[in-house]
Structures are given as C-alpha cells and as structure tokens.
Amino acid sequence: MTALLLLPLLLPCALPGLARRALDRLAPAVALWVITCSAVVLAGCSLAALGAFVLNGLLKLPLFAAFGELVHPLRTASDVFVVPAAATSVGALAVCGWTLVRSVLHQTRAFRAARSQAGRGPAAGDLCVVDSPRPDAYALPGRPHRIVVTTAMLRSLDGPEREVLFAHERAHNAGGHHYFLAAAELAAHCHPALRSVRETIRLAVERAADEAAAGAVGDRRLTARAIARAALAGQAAGGAAGSDRPGFAAAATSGPVPRRVQALLAAPRVPRRTGRTVAALLLACTAVSCVASVAGMAEFHHRVEVAQGEERP
C-alpha cells in the first residue's frame, strides 16, 4: 500500500517537463486541455494519497483505533515510517489548505474590484473602457463577460491592432479560459511540482487566444505586431498593469510575449507523431496516478476491515 500511495506523490514531478513539451508540439488549444486535465487529476490523486497517510497514522493511535472500531492491530508498514509520514502529510495538507484559502480570498476581492471598476466605465456591447494611465486589457468573466481595456492601451494601438486585441480577449471569454486558469491555480496549491505547470497553462491560454485572434483577423503578422506593441506599452508603464485584476482574468500582455510573437510569425503547427507521443505520456502518468491512488485506498480499506474483524487477512 505504501509504495502505491507514493506514486501519486512522485508522478507530478514529471508533469512540468512533459507539459512544456506538449505545448511545443501540440496545437495550443489541445495542449491546454491535456495539460490542465492532467494537472487537476494529479493534484487530486496527491491529496488522496496524503489523506490516506494521515488516516494510516491516526488509526495507529488507541483513541482513533477505538473510534474506528478496530479490534485487531492495523497491519501497516513499520511505525518508524508510518508516524513520520502521517505527521508530514498533516503539515502538507495544512499548508495546501491555508495557501488555497488565502488565494481564493485574494482572487475574490480582486474580481469584485475589477467588476466594480468595469461597471463604472462606458460600455459598448461587451467592451468596457476604463480611464487609466496604465495600458492594460483583459477578459473579465462573469454575467455578462466583459472585455476591459484602458484608455492608455487604446492610445497605444492603431485601429487594426485594436481589433486584434479585442479578438484576442473575446477568444478568452469564448473559450472559457478563466476556468483553465482557476484550475491551474488550484492544482498549484496541491503539489509543489505543479506550480511551474501553472505558468505553462497560462502560456497555453495565451497561445490559444493568439491563434484564435489570428484566425479572426486573417493576418498572423498583424496579430504578432499588435501583441508585441500591447506588451511593450505595458512594460513602458512600469509593469504594474496587472496588479488590480484577478489572476484568472486572462490578458493579451501575459506570459513570455517574444515566444508568442515568434509562434505567430511561424506557420501554424501541424500535429506530429512526437506531439501525440507526449500527449500519450501525459495521459499515461495521469492514469497510473489514478490507478495507484485507487488501488492504495482500496488496500487500506481492506486492511481496516481486517482490523475490524470483518474479513480475514
């Protein structure tokens, strides 16, 4: 059981490298789905494994053994391993819970502030213009979805470039990219190895919106120029453009912009066998983690039933 439950804690360490390769070799929209689903499942399996270690340690204590109606000793690995593993798991779960609660509270406050600010500015359809000296533009989810752009950003771009910017942000709202960003944030708080995957998912979100905007305006070079000019305008303002919006509100100026511009100037990516291989490896890691966590929990449940006298070993 112990070896099985260690797998869900170790397999997320392979995800950052595989996620970067998947984004390089798959279409951005496909890579976004594969990476995000893998991160969420691996995060859930790691939490389940930590929970199993905690229960394993608790049932070694007489009070919890009596509460669990154990009439025989629970057969597990040596207490030299079980007790430290349970204590470490308790600490890890406490840190995950604390940081997640802090993140949710912060994101909720930022979202409310952004919706309030967007409501005060003039609107034309889904477009809200905010009077601000800081160039910024982002897709704000909610009912209804909004595209928030500052007056400074509008002054930084010409007409065709503004259309690219609007198409990019509309692609974020149409694709529900805020769900992917929220899932990435959740997974990042469940396992340390998944923190870097959060940035890969953010880049995949922007690449998917870049491709959608290029398809909408029919000009990849114009799209690349608009993204580059919007990012330069934000950097010229001191890099404070994204400080007052929630992290799940995707923006055209996010991520490594030179890499995005280079991808736009290149030909659209054609699916290759290497891309399918990387996707298969990601799915295989996810499947192994699921099987290991389920099998480990099932084995733990069987041992508890044996200790309760309900089954024979």
Side-chain angles (χ1 to χ4, degrees):
M1 181 193 74
T2 301
L4 286 174
L5 291 177
L6 284 175
L7 277 177
L9 299 177
L10 296 176
L11 284 173
C13 298
L15 189 59
L18 289 174
R20 289 191 294 269
R21 287 173 174 79
L23 184 55
D24 289 337
R25 291 167 173 79
L26 294 172
V30 176
L32 177 61
W33 274 99
V34 173
I35 296 170
T36 306
C37 291
S38 297
V40 170
V41 173
L42 287 173
C45 291
S46 67
L47 290 181
L50 290 174
F53 281 124
V54 172
L55 290 175
N56 206 359
L58 288 177
L59 290 177
K60 285 289 187 176
L61 303 176
L63 176 62
F64 289 93
F67 183 76
E69 299 179 353
L70 304 189
V71 296
H72 303 296
L74 181 64
R75 296 185 179 181
T76 61
S78 172
D79 290 355
V80 176
F81 173 81
V82 171
V83 175
T88 303
S89 299
V90 169
L93 289 173
V95 171
C96 290
W98 171 246
T99 58
L100 181 60
V101 168
R102 287 183 58 189
S103 177
V104 169
L105 292 176
H106 172 72
Q107 298 295 337
T108 301
R109 287 194 296 267
F111 176 68
R112 289 176 177 173
R115 291 292 298 187
S116 177
Q117 183 185 46
R120 291 194 298 267
D126 62 345
L127 179 64
C128 293
V129 179
V130 176
D131 187 14
S132 174
R134 297 180 301 175
D136 196 17
Y138 56 92
L140 186 62
R143 295 184 179 179
H145 292 326
R146 295 292 190 188
I147 298 172
V148 180
V149 60
T150 63
T151 52
M153 180 62 80
L154 292 177
R155 289 192 296 266
S156 302
L157 306 177
D158 59 25
E161 290 168 348
R162 293 175 187 172
E163 292 302 319
V164 170
L165 185 68
F166 299 155
H168 179 100
E169 304 304 345
R170 288 192 176 99
H172 281 315
N173 283 332
H177 290 167
H178 52 285
Y179 293 118
F180 294 94
L181 295 175
E185 184 70 19
L186 174 65
H189 291 287
C190 296
H191 196 289
L194 299 178
R195 293 172 186 169
S196 61
V197 178
R198 172 176 52 188
E199 301 307 315
T200 304
I201 292 175
R202 184 171 293 277
L203 176 57
V205 161
E206 296 304 326
R207 285 284 298 112
D210 288 343
E211 293 295 331
V217 301
D219 191 333
R220 298 181 68 85
R221 295 188 66 85
L222 170 62
T223 304
R225 188 176 77 236
I227 297 299
R229 289 193 62 183
L232 288 174
Q235 291 178 357
S243 60
D244 56 353
R245 54 177 158 84
F248 55 82
T253 56
S254 300
V257 175
R259 182 176 173 184
R260 292 167 52 199
V261 170
Q262 183 180 12
L264 282 167
L265 293 177
R269 185 172 291 121
V270 178
R272 298 178 180 177
R273 179 175 297 180
T274 55
R276 291 191 289 269
T277 301
V278 173
L281 287 174
L282 274 171
L283 296 177
C285 284
T286 305
V288 169
S289 183
C290 286
V291 171
S293 60
V294 170
M297 293 294 290
E299 176 65 17
F300 173 73
H301 182 261
H302 173 71
R303 293 186 180 186
V304 170
E305 289 185 331
V306 171
Q308 290 174 336
E310 296 181 8
E311 292 186 10
R312 293 185 178 182

